Amino acid sequence: MAMLTRFMTAAGLRRYPDVLTGWLLALLVTVLEIVSGFAQDREWIDVLFSTTVVLLLGLIALATADIRSKQRTVLDSTRGGRLFNGRAQLPDLQQQFEAAQRTVEVYGLQLGHIVHHMLPTIADRALSDCHFRLALLSPVQANGDPVPWMAEMSAVHGLPNLNDVLRANLIQLRHWHAGLTAKQQRNIEIRAYPVIPTASVILFDVKRHSGFAHVEPVLHTIAPVERPTFWISERDDFKLFHLLVDRYQALWRQSIPLSDLSL
């Protein structure tokens, strides 16, 4: 019994009961095929052939069930309609980036975590044709003049040196992007927006059924790690999901490309 339990755990059968049922059915059908074949005095080669066909069909069905079970598990952990009381409750961002299929759009305030921890992951995923858009607050307007409300934004964000942090992060991003390969540079776009931010938003695979939006409101003097976050998908609320996507993609179009930014 202990050996059977270890086998089930190693094969993932305890996590996916549908797969366990499939394995048992495949085994039963295979045994019945062998027994019926010899009971009807068929040639051993015919029995072997028909058994192999049945077994292969069973394995295909099992593989499909296994893939769907794992997809459900991933979607359960990344679909919308979930509320988190702080960043400590959020799933690991690196795992979220690695799970993305086609697109990741990040509209942050300063992108501190991205700049200091996520750039290697983003560069690696860009080689796999996952497209990234990184947008953060700009300390200057398109003409190079300082934005007039930076002190107020610093107070809301609880970061007195926000202007210096933004400039340092933008310079680091520019230097990092310049050192990437041509393919990575095509798949990673970076812009800055001179608009007062009200939330940090990440859009994952918005053109796919598995896509969802991560929304963290910017709350007055509440530290980023303590801010509540919610996830929402098209299936949760079609209108709100597409409103978020449309508004933040419009913000992207209004933003200043990193190469044109005067720092």
Side-chain angles (χ1 to χ4, degrees):
M1 182 63 68
M3 183 177 296
L4 177 60
T5 302
R6 285 196 297 270
F7 170 77
M8 291 173 60
T9 302
L13 302 182
R14 296 180 71 179
R15 265 182 90 185
Y16 307 112
D18 291 344
V19 179
L20 174 59
T21 303
W23 274 107
L24 293 176
L25 288 175
L27 180 61
L28 178 61
V29 171
T30 302
V31 171
L32 289 176
E33 180 66 18
I34 294 174
V35 172
S36 64
F38 285 110
Q40 297 173 14
D41 294 327
R42 290 160 57 189
E43 293 291 335
W44 69 268
I45 191 67
D46 293 335
V47 175
L48 180 62
F49 177 80
S50 59
T51 302
T52 302
V53 171
V54 170
L55 185 59
L56 287 175
L57 291 174
L59 290 175
I60 292 173
L62 283 171
T64 302
D66 188 36
I67 291 171
R68 288 178 176 174
S69 296
K70 291 179 179 177
Q71 284 179 334
R72 284 198 299 271
T73 300
V74 172
L75 292 180
D76 285 343
S77 65
T78 57
R79 294 296 297 202
R82 299 180 61 185
L83 176 66
F84 304 90
N85 294 330
R87 289 187 180 179
Q89 293 187 355
L90 288 167
D92 183 68
L93 186 60
Q94 179 171 331
Q95 294 179 0
Q96 296 297 314
F97 279 13
E98 292 174 348
Q101 298 296 311
R102 291 296 181 187
T103 60
V104 178
E105 302 175 48
V106 185
Y107 302 89
L109 199 153
Q110 55 162 311
L111 297 188
H113 183 74
I114 299 289
V115 170
H116 298 296
H117 302 287
M118 300 300 300
L119 296 184
T121 299
I122 293 172
D124 182 64
R125 295 293 288 114
L127 290 173
S128 303
D129 288 325
C130 187
H131 190 88
F132 286 83
R133 285 179 172 177
L134 306 178
L136 68 162
L137 179 62
S138 174
V140 296
Q141 301 182 68
N143 61 4
D145 292 340
V147 295
W149 36 259
M150 184 56 65
E152 289 79 4
M153 193 66 238
S154 296
V156 171
H157 195 52
L159 192 63
N161 62 336
L162 178 59
N163 184 75
D164 295 335
V165 171
L166 289 171
R167 290 178 181 273
N169 288 350
L170 285 164
I171 291 171
Q172 184 170 343
L173 285 170
R174 178 181 286 172
H175 177 75
W176 168 74
H177 193 265
L180 298 175
T181 67
K183 180 176 182 179
Q184 289 171 318
Q185 289 179 347
R186 287 194 302 271
N187 282 328
I188 302 172
E189 298 180 85
I190 306 173
R191 295 188 178 187
Y193 56 88
V195 180
I196 297 176
T198 56
S200 295
V201 174
I202 307 178
L203 305 177
F204 291 94
D205 291 323
V206 294
K207 293 185 179 180
R208 300 173 66 91
H209 292 301
S210 59
F212 70 101
H214 161 121
V215 183
E216 179 188 281
V218 177
L219 302 177
H220 183 65
T221 67
I222 297 180
V225 296
E226 298 176 346
R227 293 171 186 162
T229 299
F230 69 88
W231 287 355
I232 189 166
S233 68
E234 184 180 73
R235 187 169 60 182
D236 298 314
D237 190 317
F238 183 92
K239 183 177 180 180
L240 178 56
F241 175 75
H242 284 284
L243 180 63
L244 282 167
V245 172
D246 292 344
R247 294 297 171 84
Y248 276 89
Q249 289 185 342
L251 176 62
W252 174 263
R253 292 190 291 271
Q254 299 167 9
S255 300
I256 309 167
L258 183 59
S259 57
D260 297 339
L261 201 62
S262 300
L263 296 173

